[in-house]
Amino acid sequence: MQFLVLARVAEGVAMEQVLPHVKAEAEAVWQKYLAEIVRSIYYIADMSGAVLMCEAPNLEAMQAIAAQFPMAKAGVLKFEILPLKPYIGLESLFAKS
């Protein structure tokens, strides 16, 4: 199952609190990339967090994976996990009357 994961700096957290965790977070993301869980990652343009495309067996598994990231453990990032499914809206264009 695919997931869009929004990882944002938690409200009230100063960047000085985030910076000590950057290296460990990058290493953890890299390990999940090698494990084919994280498929792609992007910064949010204002640098308030990141967006990850991920794969996991189900929502509960993805939540458990996200909870293990160092910045989640430190409480400096909050994760919003959006389960995705294939878009089938185009089907109506090709439906036979």
Side-chain angles (χ1 to χ4, degrees):
M1 184 171 197
Q2 293 184 334
F3 298 90
L4 179 69
V5 179
L6 303 174
R8 294 182 182 254
V9 175
E11 190 173 327
V13 173
M15 197 51 67
E16 294 79 25
Q17 295 171 275
V18 174
L19 294 177
H21 305 285
V22 169
K23 185 175 180 179
E25 188 76 4
E27 184 178 344
V29 169
W30 175 245
Q31 291 304 316
K32 298 301 182 207
Y33 184 83
L34 292 175
E36 299 183 357
I37 294 168
V38 173
R39 293 302 191 159
S40 60
I41 183 168
Y42 303 89
Y43 280 122
I44 296 172
D46 67 2
M47 301 302 284
S48 64
V51 176
L52 297 86
M53 289 298 301
C54 298
E55 291 186 19
N58 54 52
L59 178 59
E60 293 77 19
M62 190 68 242
Q63 289 169 328
I65 291 165
Q68 293 304 307
F69 282 114
M71 287 189 184
K73 287 182 174 182
V76 298
L77 276 189
K78 297 294 179 194
F79 291 87
E80 181 179 359
I81 301 171
L82 304 170
L84 304 176
K85 66 179 188 174
Y87 178 74
I88 57 170
L90 295 175
E91 181 178 27
S92 64
L93 295 174
F94 307 108
K96 297 187 182 197
S97 303

